[in-house]
Amino acid sequence: MNIGIVGLGLIGGSLGLDLRSLGHYVWGMSRSADTCAQAVRMGAADVAGPDPAELSVSDRTDVVFICTPIAAIIPTLANLVPYLPPRAIVTDVGSVKAAIVTPAEQLWRRFVGGHPMAGNASQGIHAAARQLFHQRPCVLTPSSDCEALATLRSLWQSVGGIVLECSPADHDRAVAWISHLPVFVSTSLIQACLQERHPHIAHLAQQMASSGFRDTSRVGGGNPELGRLMAEYNQTALLETLHTYQQVLQKTIAAIEAGQWQDLEAKLRESQEARSPYVSALLD
Amino acid sequence: MNIGIVGLGLIGGSLGLDLRSLGHYVWGMSRSADTCAQAVRMGAADVAGPDPAELSVSDRTDVVFICTPIAAIIPTLANLVPYLPPRAIVTDVGSVKAAIVTPAEQLWRRFVGGHPMAGNASQGIHAAARQLFHQRPCVLTPSSDCEALATLRSLWQSVGGIVLECSPADHDRAVAWISHLPVFVSTSLIQACLQERHPHIAHLAQQMASSGFRDTSRVGGGNPELGRLMAEYNQTALLETLHTYQQVLQKTIAAIEAGQWQDLEAKLRESQEARSPYVSALLD
């Protein structure tokens, strides 16, 4: 197929590497000339440039993946529309879906929302790697365009993804629990540590921090722009999970204040068991 | 030296492996005959058994490490006292210090509190491994017995530990921030997910969970008994950090409710920078 990838970061670059190795022709697009050159050099795109008019966006293009940050997805699609052949399928990889899919479908009839649950702490084309999507869940939102949906399902499966189909609203609620809520739980942990009044205890805490603190603080100490966009574009679902979290935390604190050690241990045991189905497919 | 290790789990077993490989004679003690046999078989102890009277607890013993769970440290020490030679140095590896050091010093003059910041998700003698303490911080609490302190500092350094000295109260406050608070922040995340009312969204969340959820929930889904003991034995310091966390979380929620995206991103950026000194010595 003739595939466009707009936004050549970790996700776009990694997708390009995998799709080219499967024999597809990949044209890439990025505002940065350096990124374009690097994408071609490392084999993530056959050609790459900043301007849709000068690219292979022509009657040959079958599928376009928009892999920009969330806030740029709709403006990017609006810029592409004049150059897209009528049959082109367009999708995205944004981590929210309701705020994207509705306006995107209005701009382009053959748009299908997507979200591969892949990535790591790195950013940018230099972090792109093969097999990033291997065995990772990849959400597609429903579409009346069965052919478009089947094409995208097949492409994600070809790079190893496990395709799940769900509504934008259900997607956003689910990712609020397992992706967006953890960011704000985690960043609040770091912010809380900054409140320590005694510098020598703060310093001691830094010296003593071990894998427990490292892991619990990881997503809260990640890309600030990404965290902000999760909150901005998934505000309602995120706030519902945060309010639930707040209530649960209050109960945990009350149990510790009251010295209800058996109840506390029972809750910890329940957490231990409840965690398994979330992480069974992941290495710990 | 002639070294006793009482409690042959991950920490005691790993310490035994390292100390024996440095040429020390190690006698181990555990209530479980299987654990004793396994410790000797894998080279974590020269001899091991359940009864201090039948062991090498004699004039030959230089140092005893008590490596039991927190709740058993003081009772274990009380049981050992009748068999200890007067010059024996006794220490522990418990993750709280104030609740241990005061009663332990009353039971045994040459007691020095200790806490190596090492471990992993595994438990028991089978998980014991060499080099567990390599480059890991190891706290010793102050003692007027300079010789005892110097001996323990030297032993921990010989197995690769980075020795820090601090008061029991400062230790407990610091570990509350970086070890105990994360457990309850993390377990509350899992508990919050259990509140999702719609089974299909809960199932979707489980299918979509990725490394972010895995890492943020790891310590909250760990050993329930250990989590309970952290709260029980470090209640005051833990509650202070939990109350601070609660206030910080409330501010984070308020910023998201008010749509203060720039402020939120600034806080996320602050968290990203503030995290570095905690994790700089750890692989991410």
Side-chain angles (χ1 to χ4, degrees):
Chain A
M1 277 193 258
N2 188 318
I3 293 171
I5 297 180
V6 181
L8 296 166
L10 171 66
I11 300 290
S14 300
L15 190 56
L17 286 170
D18 281 352
L19 291 174
R20 281 191 75 251
S21 75
L22 290 165
H24 300 289
Y25 177 83
V26 173
W27 58 264
M29 202 177 120
S30 166
R31 285 173 305 182
S32 154
D34 282 354
T35 299
C36 289
Q38 173 63 17
V40 172
R41 197 159 48 233
M42 73 196 283
D46 291 277
V47 294
D51 185 357
E54 289 178 11
L55 277 168
S56 314
V57 188
S58 70
D59 2 322
R60 289 187 298 131
T61 296
D62 301 298
V63 178
V64 178
F65 289 87
I66 302 180
C67 303
T68 66
I70 303 171
I73 295 173
I74 297 300
T76 299
L77 176 57
N79 287 338
L80 283 175
V81 160
Y83 307 97
L84 289 170
R87 297 285 301 157
I89 298 161
V90 182
T91 188
D92 76 319
V93 298
S95 64
V96 299
K97 292 276 66 73
I100 300 296
V101 172
T102 309
E105 284 178 341
Q106 282 164 8
L107 284 167
W108 193 252
R109 196 179 43 82
R110 300 203 90 188
F111 181 89
V112 178
H115 180 205
M117 301 299 296
N120 51 48
S122 313
Q123 290 172 251
I125 186 73
H126 290 278
R130 284 180 212 279
Q131 303 257 326
L132 189 70
F133 310 102
H134 184 70
Q135 292 281 89
R136 302 304 311 138
C138 175
V139 167
L140 291 174
T141 59
S143 169
S144 57
D145 188 335
C146 298
E147 191 198 325
L149 205 50
T151 301
L152 292 173
R153 186 183 294 114
S154 156
L155 280 173
W156 280 117
Q157 285 170 343
S158 73
V159 298
I162 298 164
V163 175
L164 308 173
E165 209 179 302
C166 69
S167 73
D170 285 358
H171 167 276
D172 289 358
R173 176 90 183 175
V175 293
W177 285 120
I178 53 86
S179 174
H180 303 173
L181 175 61
V183 167
F184 294 97
V185 161
S186 173
T187 207
S188 297
L189 172 64
I190 304 172
Q191 289 288 328
C193 291
L194 292 176
Q195 308 302 310
E196 170 57 55
R197 291 181 310 274
H198 300 291
H200 73 283
I201 292 179
H203 183 60
L204 192 59
Q206 290 174 350
Q207 290 176 289
M208 292 177 70
S210 191
S211 57
F213 185 84
R214 177 196 63 197
D215 289 356
T216 319
S217 68
R218 188 175 67 78
V219 294
N223 184 342
E225 190 198 352
L226 190 60
R228 169 234 173 109
L229 291 171
M230 287 170 174
E232 192 172 346
Y233 285 83
N234 201 18
Q235 186 182 21
T236 307
L238 173 60
L239 280 172
E240 280 184 42
T241 63
L242 275 165
H243 287 136
T244 302
Y245 180 81
Q246 211 172 16
Q247 288 158 17
V248 165
L249 181 73
Q250 179 50 49
K251 281 188 195 166
T252 307
I253 293 174
I256 297 173
E257 281 172 337
Q260 293 165 341
W261 308 129
Q262 289 195 347
D263 291 356
L264 190 72
E265 189 171 331
K267 285 285 179 190
L268 287 161
R269 196 169 304 283
E270 184 183 48
S271 297
Q272 188 180 40
E273 284 159 17
R275 181 175 178 257
S276 300
Y278 290 88
V279 299
S280 54
L282 302 160
L283 288 173
D284 223 346
Chain B
M1 276 194 259
N2 188 319
I3 295 173
I5 298 181
V6 181
L8 296 166
L10 171 66
I11 300 292
S14 300
L15 189 57
L17 286 170
D18 281 351
L19 291 174
R20 280 191 75 250
S21 75
L22 290 165
H24 300 290
Y25 177 83
V26 173
W27 58 264
M29 201 177 120
S30 166
R31 283 174 305 182
S32 154
D34 282 353
T35 299
C36 289
Q38 172 63 18
V40 172
R41 195 158 50 232
M42 73 196 283
D46 291 277
V47 294
D51 185 357
E54 290 179 9
L55 277 168
S56 313
V57 188
S58 70
D59 6 322
R60 291 186 297 133
T61 295
D62 300 298
V63 178
V64 177
F65 289 87
I66 300 179
C67 302
T68 65
I70 304 172
I73 295 173
I74 296 300
T76 299
L77 177 57
N79 287 339
L80 283 174
V81 160
Y83 308 97
L84 289 171
R87 298 284 303 156
I89 298 163
V90 182
T91 186
D92 76 321
V93 298
S95 63
V96 298
K97 293 275 68 73
I100 301 296
V101 171
T102 309
E105 285 178 341
Q106 282 164 7
L107 285 167
W108 191 253
R109 197 178 42 82
R110 299 202 91 187
F111 181 88
V112 178
H115 180 206
M117 301 298 296
N120 53 47
S122 314
Q123 289 173 254
I125 186 71
H126 291 277
R130 284 179 212 279
Q131 303 257 323
L132 188 71
F133 310 102
H134 184 69
Q135 291 282 88
R136 301 305 310 140
C138 175
V139 166
L140 291 174
T141 58
S143 169
S144 55
D145 188 334
C146 297
E147 190 198 324
L149 206 51
T151 300
L152 291 173
R153 185 184 294 115
S154 156
L155 280 173
W156 280 115
Q157 285 171 343
S158 73
V159 297
I162 298 165
V163 175
L164 307 172
E165 209 179 303
C166 69
S167 73
D170 285 358
H171 167 277
D172 289 357
R173 176 91 184 173
V175 294
W177 286 120
I178 52 87
S179 174
H180 303 172
L181 174 61
V183 167
F184 293 96
V185 161
S186 174
T187 207
S188 298
L189 172 64
I190 303 171
Q191 290 288 329
C193 291
L194 292 177
Q195 308 302 310
E196 170 57 55
R197 291 181 309 274
H198 301 291
H200 71 284
I201 292 180
H203 183 60
L204 192 59
Q206 290 173 350
Q207 289 177 290
M208 293 177 70
S210 191
S211 56
F213 185 85
R214 177 196 62 197
D215 290 356
T216 318
S217 68
R218 188 174 67 77
V219 294
N223 184 342
E225 190 199 352
L226 189 59
R228 169 235 175 106
L229 292 171
M230 287 172 174
E232 192 172 344
Y233 285 82
N234 201 17
Q235 187 183 20
T236 307
L238 173 61
L239 280 172
E240 280 184 42
T241 64
L242 274 165
H243 288 135
T244 301
Y245 180 82
Q246 211 173 16
Q247 289 158 17
V248 165
L249 181 73
Q250 180 49 50
K251 281 188 194 166
T252 307
I253 292 173
I256 297 172
E257 281 172 337
Q260 294 166 340
W261 308 127
Q262 291 196 345
D263 291 356
L264 191 70
E265 188 171 332
K267 284 285 179 191
L268 287 160
R269 198 169 303 283
E270 184 184 48
S271 297
Q272 189 179 40
E273 286 160 16
R275 181 175 178 257
S276 300
Y278 290 87
V279 299
S280 53
L282 303 159
L283 287 174
D284 223 347

